[in-house]
Amino acid sequence: MSDRAGGRRLLVRDLAQLATPAGSEAPLRGDALAAVEVVRDAYVLCEDGRITSFGPMRELHAAFQGTAGELEELDGRGLCAVPGLVDCHTHACFAGDRVDEFELRATGASYEELHAAGGGILATVRATRSAGEANLADAVRRHRRWMRRAGTTTFEAKSGYGLDRETELASLRAIREAGGTATWLGAHAVPPEFGDADAYLDFALAEVLPDAALLAATADVFLEEDAFNVDQARRYLNACHAAGLALRLHGDQFTEQGAIPLAIELGARSVDHLEATGEDGIRMLAASDVVGVLLPASAIFLDRPMPPARALVDAGAAIAIATDFNPGSSFCESLAVVSSLAVTQLRLTPAQALSACTVNAAFVLGVAGDVGRIASGYSADIVLLDATDWRYLAYHLGGDIVATVIERGQVTWSRAAERSQENGPR
Ligand code: NIG
Ligand code: FE
């Protein structure tokens, strides 16, 4: 990290605003979730890929004392700086698409019906198995580029479209090579060559887990009718925990099957979806250390009810928001769009939405001390918004809001550079 930046300093100056979650005690909840520090006419200074200081321009001179070396300056006039966004829930490792199903759903077919007819997740499993490792790695890199230009500087991605040994391991390698946190979603669906979920889990835990545990940081399971039941999810997660993986669950997406009590029982990092969570689940989650990851793009893409975000937040639960980027239930890689949905559909404030896709998402990935805030010592992952008020991140629905992306103190994408490439000699 610091060797990549090579001792260089980066100064972003004259920013209209700099906005960052104020609290560092992740996961943030209650009042702390809504506490965003806003500095007007601001600078941020980075050195060796780390943020060294930020504040109002009038304090810049003092901040420079004691720093030396090459200096790159970015003009922040008319722009806002926010922390690089953290997407803690994606299924970015897939081949093919489901655009035909997308059209069929518009004419009346339901997501569950398509799944039951051998489409849905299993359609993507077929495409992913036949892609080959090189094409799969290309796909993850392409998806990673889409996320970056939407402002995501840290991302998680799950396997789960292989469901055989070779493709699951290839998926985890491809995610790591693209710079993502890899999650083994070995229990996503029961592949057709297995008669039932228990027989498939026998195979997955014996033949895939030992190697998956060397590549992945986390394990995930789809706890749902027609996927894995609570006993199967417990068995899978216990084995993954014993192999050293942190635990997450897809739970309460369509029906409540006990995902929240199981997540609490096993000390999981998160339980994700929660569209079907009722009052008892809200109370239990709020009293626990498990983060509720809300995926409003998935709910809107499938025209499903939104998760009870306001009730969760009011009860004191720690929440994060994420894209759930995948070809079937959420073909959306933009956390800016998700932030907008978080405000209009989940009724979070822009500040709560920002905390939910920065600090709290970083907590879910186990990196809250390193990314997700603009703070001294944190990784210099910063997004410059093309707006003079940081709340445009959520306000400008589907807008071309990201001007520049900085990762580890280096510009990794800018709209200006992309345009000059487009207009340059071929
Ligand atoms: O989070 N619910 C399970 N898995 C994904 C969808 C996967 C797909 O449709 O391909 C989700 O929505
Ligand atoms: Fe998901």
Side-chain angles (χ1 to χ4, degrees), residues 46-345:
C46 315
E47 200 173 338
D48 290 337
R50 298 264 141 202
I51 295 166
T52 51
S53 66
F54 70 93
M57 280 300 289
R58 62 176 183 279
E59 293 174 8
L60 177 60
H61 185 70
F64 261 116
Q65 306 293 324
T67 76
E70 199 183 322
L71 178 71
E72 183 185 350
E73 286 196 29
L74 289 183
D75 181 358
R77 274 178 296 177
L79 307 176
C80 287
V82 295
L85 305 180
V86 179
D87 199 342
C88 68
H89 183 138
T90 87
H91 303 254
C93 187
F94 63 86
D97 62 41
R98 303 238 290 278
V99 65
D100 292 339
E101 290 186 7
F102 179 69
E103 182 170 354
L104 283 170
R105 282 199 294 108
T107 54
S110 77
Y111 181 74
E112 297 94 311
E113 281 163 8
L114 292 165
H115 187 68
I121 294 171
L122 293 177
T124 301
V125 169
R126 288 191 289 277
T128 303
R129 284 180 175 180
S130 61
E133 184 156 358
N135 289 328
L136 198 52
D138 273 352
V140 181
R141 278 192 291 271
R142 183 167 61 254
H143 299 151
R144 201 274 166 273
R145 283 196 298 276
W146 295 356
M147 292 187 224
R148 174 177 286 132
R149 56 185 297 181
T152 297
T153 55
T154 297
F155 77 104
E156 178 260 16
K158 304 170 198 299
S159 68
Y161 292 124
L163 306 179
D164 62 20
R165 181 183 150 78
E166 191 189 332
T167 318
E168 283 298 298
L169 298 178
S171 298
L172 296 172
R173 281 192 292 270
I175 292 161
R176 284 174 61 123
E177 280 161 20
T181 296
T183 296
W184 184 45
L185 180 50
H188 195 193
V190 180
E193 63 273 23
F194 287 91
D196 63 71
D198 286 300
Y200 168 67
L201 287 181
D202 290 344
F203 155 79
L205 295 177
E207 305 295 331
V208 189
L209 172 59
D211 289 320
L214 301 174
L215 295 165
T218 321
D220 198 344
V221 55
F222 186 20
L223 172 45
E224 188 56 71
E225 268 172 18
D226 297 328
F228 296 88
N229 67 29
V230 74
D231 293 332
Q232 291 157 347
R234 182 185 284 107
R235 175 182 167 213
Y236 172 80
L237 292 172
N238 271 329
C240 291
H241 176 71
L245 298 174
L247 307 182
R248 303 180 59 181
L249 295 86
H250 278 69
D252 296 359
Q253 182 178 8
F254 299 101
T255 55
E256 276 191 298
Q257 299 282 330
I260 289 175
L262 183 63
I264 295 168
E265 171 193 323
L266 300 180
R269 285 253 183 84
S270 72
V271 54
D272 304 38
H273 273 291
L274 306 181
E275 289 91 322
T277 299
E279 278 175 21
D280 288 349
I282 292 169
R283 257 196 306 279
M284 263 185 268
L285 195 66
S288 81
D289 294 328
V290 179
V291 178
V293 178
L294 311 178
L295 309 164
S298 169
I300 209 150
F301 201 85
L302 294 183
D303 191 20
R304 303 279 311 168
M306 287 288 156
R310 196 66 272 154
L312 283 163
V313 168
D314 290 347
I319 55 130
I321 55 174
T323 61
D324 198 22
F325 174 65
N326 76 76
S329 70
S330 181
F331 198 51
C332 171
E333 72 279 11
S334 168
L335 280 170
V337 169
V338 168
S339 297
S340 193
L341 296 175
V343 175
T344 62
Q345 308 300 305

Side-chain angles (χ1 to χ4, degrees), residues 14 71 92 139 321 332 390 401 405:
D14 297 306
L71 178 71
I321 55 174
C332 171
W390 70 273
I401 185 77
V405 178

